[in-house]
Amino acid sequence: MELKYKNWKEISINTFKKLQDVLKDVIITDDATLNNLNSNIAMLSVLCDVDEDTIASLSTSEFVKLVNDSNFLSDMPKVKITDTYVINGKVYKVFLSLKNMSVAQYIDFQTFYKDYDKYTRELLACFLIPEGKRYGEDYDIAEVITDIGNHMSIVDAHSILFFFVILYQSLTKTILNYSIKDMKKMMRKEKNKEQRMKMEQAIMEMKKARDLVANGNGYF
């Protein structure tokens, strides 16, 4: 038996999610060796595209060979994003500017960003636009999401999302810093003590949010 998926570039987003799911479902025991065996069986069932019973019935030598062949999973490569991607035979342009997003595009981005693990494909569909189209216009976005999940390499997907996470964090910090500065000016002019306390609390909350972004906490 051979691995169906022999390197990261061959693993689509959907296959990667399936890999994550089966590993989450592995029964954990007090026996570390058994845990490792169960994890390998679950992992290989996805990489070979067979059920776990088929993997469990392999000879020891064949099983060990497959485990060794799957060692590429220990390190996902980093690749540079490109301006265009061909996904299931269709050309997509990468939308590279958060500042130039349409309102609908930004709303979708914010919605999916809150639950990255669940909405990876939908989040990518905010940035991968069919060539010659505008976001959400004159094309089937559900079809785009399906193609991204089935045919886009998880390596390319992670590279694109990492780029936008850094971009989004940078933009968020800039906005928060501006808001903090603006609120401090307003507070200095405010005579009402109660209002000043509310403003001070708002500044503290914005600083906390800014620090979370700076430290990468609360983000994927």
Side-chain angles (χ1 to χ4, degrees):
M1 183 180 295
E2 293 187 355
L3 299 182
K4 179 179 179 180
Y5 307 103
K6 299 178 182 180
N7 58 66
W8 276 112
K9 288 290 289 182
E10 295 179 353
I11 296 179
S12 69
I13 296 170
N14 286 350
T15 301
F16 181 71
K17 287 186 175 295
K18 185 177 180 181
L19 192 62
Q20 288 180 312
D21 289 342
V22 297
L23 291 176
K24 285 178 184 176
D25 290 339
V26 170
I27 298 174
I28 303 300
T29 71
D30 293 330
D31 188 332
T33 300
L34 181 59
N35 291 338
N36 188 49
L37 178 62
N38 289 337
S39 295
N40 281 327
I41 290 173
M43 174 188 68
L44 291 174
S45 72
V46 175
L47 294 180
C48 294
D49 197 21
V50 297
D51 58 48
E52 293 187 18
D53 287 340
T54 299
I55 299 298
S57 66
L58 294 174
S59 67
T60 303
S61 60
E62 191 170 10
F63 180 78
V64 170
K65 180 183 180 302
L66 287 175
V67 171
N68 290 336
D69 289 344
S70 68
N71 282 338
F72 71 87
L73 290 176
S74 62
D75 184 27
M76 183 186 291
K78 294 178 181 178
V79 297
K80 291 183 179 180
I81 66 171
T82 62
D83 293 333
T84 61
Y85 288 88
V86 178
I87 305 172
N88 196 25
K90 303 162 192 170
V91 179
Y92 290 86
K93 291 280 189 178
V94 182
F95 189 91
L96 294 172
S97 175
L98 290 178
K99 293 180 181 179
N100 293 326
M101 275 185 164
S102 68
V103 173
Q105 194 174 7
Y106 190 73
I107 289 172
D108 287 345
F109 165 70
Q110 288 279 28
T111 300
F112 299 135
Y113 183 82
K114 294 173 184 177
D115 196 348
Y116 160 76
D117 283 333
K118 184 176 180 180
Y119 295 111
T120 304
R121 293 156 292 199
E122 289 82 356
L123 192 55
L124 283 163
C126 291
F127 306 124
L128 290 164
I129 315 299
E131 189 174 41
K133 304 293 185 181
R134 295 173 58 123
Y135 180 75
E137 297 180 7
D138 300 322
Y139 67 92
D140 186 348
I141 198 164
E143 182 179 312
V144 170
I145 291 168
T146 298
D147 280 347
I148 287 172
N150 288 332
H151 302 286
M152 186 170 203
S153 163
I154 190 63
V155 176
D156 290 328
H158 273 194
S159 296
I160 292 172
L161 291 177
F162 180 75
F163 171 83
F164 280 103
V165 166
I166 299 301
L167 195 64
Y168 180 66
Q169 289 177 350
S170 176
L171 181 62
T172 301
K173 283 189 288 184
T174 300
I175 292 171
L176 287 171
N177 281 330
Y178 178 83
S179 298
I180 290 168
K181 184 178 180 180
D182 195 46
M183 185 67 74
K184 285 181 176 179
K185 288 181 181 179
M186 293 172 59
M187 193 172 72
R188 284 195 292 269
K189 296 177 182 180
E190 180 60 54
K191 303 298 182 182
N192 185 290
K193 185 177 180 180
E194 184 177 343
Q195 288 299 321
R196 283 176 59 86
M197 290 179 64
K198 288 181 179 179
M199 289 179 178
E200 188 174 359
Q201 181 63 35
I203 290 171
M204 289 175 61
E205 292 300 321
M206 284 188 286
K207 284 183 176 179
K208 287 180 182 178
R210 181 193 60 191
D211 292 342
L212 279 174
V213 173
N215 294 328
N217 295 326
Y219 296 87
F220 53 87

